Amino acid sequence: MTAVGIDAVEIWTGKLKLDLPETFAPQKGDDPAKYTKGLGLRASSFPDAYEDIVTMASNAAYKLMERKGLEPDDIGRIDVATESAFDNSKPVSTYVAGCLEEVYDEDFHHANKGERKFACIAGTQSIDDAYNWIKAGRNRGRGALVIATDTALYARGDAGEATQGAGAVAMYITEDPSLVELSHAQGYGSADETDFLKPNQQFPSVDGKRSVQVYLSRMREALEDYESVAGDVELDGFEYAPFHTPFPGMVRKAALLAYRHVVRDTEHEDALADEIGRQPRPGEFEDDDAYQEAIREYMDALGDTEQYQDWYAEVIDPTLSISREVGNWYTGSVHIARMSALLEAAEEGTEMAGETLLVGSYGSGAQAEIHAETVADGWKDEIEACDIYDQIEDRYDISFSEYEQVHDRHNHEKRVELEPFTQPEGEFVFDGWGPMNERKYTFVE
Ligand code: HMG
């Protein structure tokens, strides 16, 4: 079977940084530890005045094409995943193609373009579409450009404000990929939920606490569905588990549940039994309340064991390093978790070729998807080309009042002028409005 997967990735972060413990927490009257320890976040990325979902997507895509020596003719699809679109008809991918056509001699007239929407899971769904298109042999030897781009803003004062972020991840999907090969097997957990939604509005209506529970339920459903086709997931069957990361504390909760599930009825559960007992089973209790109470106690004890903590430090924590510094990028979030883990592996000199990743995507509304990825031989060159930590370091650190101006500038209902904090160079920028209310872009040398 032909291997299909991600050949190359470029990440573009919004150029501004909001420091959560230092700048945001004092203004909200919060203990900074709520952010660093509770949510697990140090900072959020924000777009500068001349950035938006199109510029971030186009800049990530341009970087990718230049690095890989690609021309427009090499690209048969451009799919953009976003939940921050400003147009209900014209897809962001057409704006991106328009930007790229400013800098290439060829055009993208023979590339299929679209926009995928299902909250944060749409990036993974776009990769799926590309996979199916290539497997069906309809790609004429070309690859697919999949870009996840979002400006993840919440209304000011909403509890979600602490988890904002902005950035884009451009991915090139091909046969015989250099970075990771996707598994054929997938599992889904999907249900009609109203925990987080944007009914024709930019900022989400969100029931934050419930959204956490829905994430966990759908993720568990997806894992069970995945196992029904791929066989039981084993604890040592994967090196890293990159999951959708709205904030690292969310993944901390998901990881504990996943661990309990994966070790049940294995020698790992036996090894823990002396210390914390065996996992409670429903049949052992008089009613569901008693069972749930026993589960809570078991989970608390499990989280404190050395066995669990060592596993978490090796398999989960490395996936969270970028997220901690940038916040939630919605559609891009799980894709920066994958890169985060591989960057750490490269840094530590771990050989990853042939190793497995267990990837968990999620979108509110709600759907989770689990699949596996096999790391490809060319992974290290790809990862060494990734400069996201330099970009993170170079961001302009905004004050709280600057943050409020930036938030207003990116509020679709306002037209607020704002002097940029940074200087664009060799990149696409937002350049004002056209006669049909379209957004206009230009390339700045
Ligand atoms: P909140 O209510 O302000 O925070 O909002 P909290 O009081 O629950 O505190 C957060 C954590 O910090 C808690 O940890 C506290 O205990 C801890 P937990 O108990 O849950 O483990 N904490 C502290 N720890 C140490 N020292 C302290 C301290 N104080 C508190 N001093 C909430 C939290 C997540 C609800 C909010 O940020 C929110 O609404 N976020 C937006 C929704 C969201 O991200 N949901 C996640 C699941 S849904 C999803 O992932 C989809 C999404 O990406 C959208 C999409 O798919 O399109 C959002």
Side-chain angles (χ1 to χ4, degrees), residues 341-406:
L342 293 176
L343 278 158
E344 175 139 334
E347 174 81 22
E348 289 184 351
T350 309
E351 182 43 80
M352 286 296 293
E355 300 293 352
T356 303
L357 310 178
L358 186 73
V359 182
S361 303
Y362 177 76
S364 283
Q367 179 160 304
E369 188 263 6
I370 304 258
H371 68 265
E373 296 177 0
T374 307
V375 180
D377 289 345
W379 77 280
K380 206 144 178 233
D381 288 344
E382 279 307 309
I383 290 301
E384 282 172 353
C386 177
D387 68 352
I388 182 59
Y389 288 118
D390 294 336
Q391 291 183 46
I392 285 173
E393 195 59 36
D394 288 347
R395 288 174 302 176
Y396 175 86
D397 192 356
I398 47 180
S399 68
F400 191 79
S401 68
E402 288 169 341
Y403 156 68
E404 291 182 317
Q405 294 165 36
V406 169

Side-chain angles (χ1 to χ4, degrees), residues 31 33-34 38 83 119-120 159 196 208-209 211 244 246 253 328 363-364:
D31 181 348
K34 169 177 168 181
E83 53 176 301
C120 303
F196 172 112
K209 301 282 185 225
S211 74
H244 169 57
K253 292 181 206 293
N328 193 355
S364 283

Side-chain angles (χ1 to χ4, degrees), residues 84-118:
S84 320
F86 45 77
D87 193 313
N88 285 325
S89 173
K90 183 174 156 58
V92 171
S93 49
T94 57
Y95 283 98
V96 170
C99 284
L100 294 170
E101 285 169 359
E102 286 183 41
V103 292
Y104 288 102
D105 292 336
E106 294 168 6
D107 60 45
F108 292 93
H109 287 201
H110 302 298
N112 189 7
K113 305 180 191 93
E115 188 173 303
R116 255 285 192 178
K117 180 181 74 179
F118 194 151

Side-chain angles (χ1 to χ4, degrees), residues 41 163 215 244-248 250-251 323 327-328 333:
L41 289 166
T163 65
Y215 176 116
H244 169 57
T245 312
F247 53 93
M250 180 70 246
V251 175
S323 164
N328 193 355
S333 159

Side-chain angles (χ1 to χ4, degrees), residues 116-247:
R116 255 285 192 178
K117 180 181 74 179
F118 194 151
C120 303
I121 201 173
T124 298
Q125 291 181 319
S126 299
I127 293 177
D128 249 19
D129 293 341
Y131 175 97
N132 295 336
W133 171 72
I134 294 170
K135 285 278 185 184
R138 301 176 102 179
N139 60 319
R140 300 187 234 155
R142 299 175 296 173
L145 188 56
V146 167
I147 314 169
T149 182
D150 271 299
T151 296
L153 299 182
Y154 290 75
R156 297 229 286 277
D158 189 289
E161 201 182 357
T163 65
Q164 299 176 117
V169 183
M171 295 168 276
Y172 190 49
I173 314 303
T174 63
E175 285 176 36
D176 298 325
S178 300
L179 189 64
V180 291
E181 176 191 342
L182 304 170
S183 66
H184 185 260
Q186 295 176 291
Y188 293 103
S190 188
D192 177 11
E193 299 278 5
T194 49
D195 55 319
F196 172 112
L197 55 156
K198 301 179 181 176
N200 285 328
Q201 65 198 46
Q202 181 188 4
F203 302 142
S205 299
V206 54
D207 181 344
K209 301 282 185 225
R210 212 171 87 71
S211 74
V212 168
Q213 294 313 316
V214 176
Y215 176 116
L216 297 174
S217 305
R218 302 285 82 82
M219 210 54 110
R220 181 166 63 190
E221 227 170 48
L223 183 59
E224 286 167 356
D225 192 44
Y226 174 72
E227 289 184 314
S228 76
V229 284
D232 284 353
V233 170
E234 296 188 9
L235 198 59
D236 48 12
F238 51 96
E239 289 299 301
Y240 296 109
F243 270 46
H244 169 57
T245 312
F247 53 93

